[in-house]
Amino acid sequence: MHPLAHMLTGALIGQAAPNPVTAVLGGFFSHHLLDAIPHTEGKTFNPQPNGVLGAELIAAGLECGAGTLMLIWLIENCDGAKPLPVVLGSLAALLPDFVDLPLRTLFGISLLHVPGLHWTVQRRHAVWGLLTQMAVAGAAIVALWRSSGCG
């Protein structure tokens, strides 16, 4: 799953969580749940990536930036937003990628991902993989918006 879907889902869990610890745990475990949903990733289009700073990493950075701006706006403009749990849930949802991407790139190992639960679609199913990500991110931002008192 792309970072934006992870960020927004983790933020939603943080908003709904009764305390910061639950926000972190919920955000972290949501990463694995979302990765089990069929989705696209860089290897959908390029099974043999050739470089650390490829298009996938640039896109991930842009998505993280966009998600950060969305959450800043929400926290500043929605009276019911819970800033600390929202941020913690969002960061915890990204943690497996923050840890495993450098480890996989440098050493070929992965500590926080469960390969059997990760479902990246093949190129012929890319449209469905993109649609699932848009649906997850869209549903998460709408629910976050409403639960934060903005809508």
Side-chain angles (χ1 to χ4, degrees):
M1 198 61 67
H2 283 222
L4 186 61
H6 285 304
M7 285 182 79
L8 296 177
T9 301
L12 175 61
I13 290 168
Q15 177 66 23
N19 58 58
V21 172
T22 306
V24 170
L25 292 173
F28 179 79
F29 287 113
S30 75
H31 185 100
H32 302 290
L33 179 65
L34 292 182
D35 276 353
I37 298 170
H39 62 279
T40 59
E41 286 188 357
K43 68 182 179 179
T44 297
F45 304 102
N46 185 10
Q48 302 297 328
N50 57 353
V52 177
L53 291 177
E56 183 179 13
L57 190 57
I58 293 168
L62 291 172
E63 285 189 35
C64 285
T68 299
L69 291 174
M70 287 180 194
L71 294 180
I72 288 169
W73 186 93
L74 184 106
I75 288 168
E76 289 181 352
N77 293 290
C78 300
D79 294 335
K82 301 187 317 191
L84 181 61
V86 164
V87 170
L88 290 175
S90 181
L91 289 174
L94 291 171
L95 184 64
D97 287 336
F98 286 156
V99 170
D100 283 350
L101 180 63
L103 288 177
R104 201 174 317 127
T105 302
L106 297 172
F107 306 110
I109 61 172
S110 181
L111 295 178
L112 300 180
H113 280 86
V114 181
L117 295 179
H118 202 260
W119 189 350
T120 302
V121 299
Q122 294 178 353
R123 180 177 232 157
R124 69 178 183 266
H125 301 296
V127 170
W128 297 112
L130 289 169
L131 288 174
T132 58
Q133 293 191 99
M134 289 189 294
V136 167
I141 195 63
V142 168
L144 185 56
W145 172 272
R146 293 184 57 90
S147 65
S148 298
C150 278

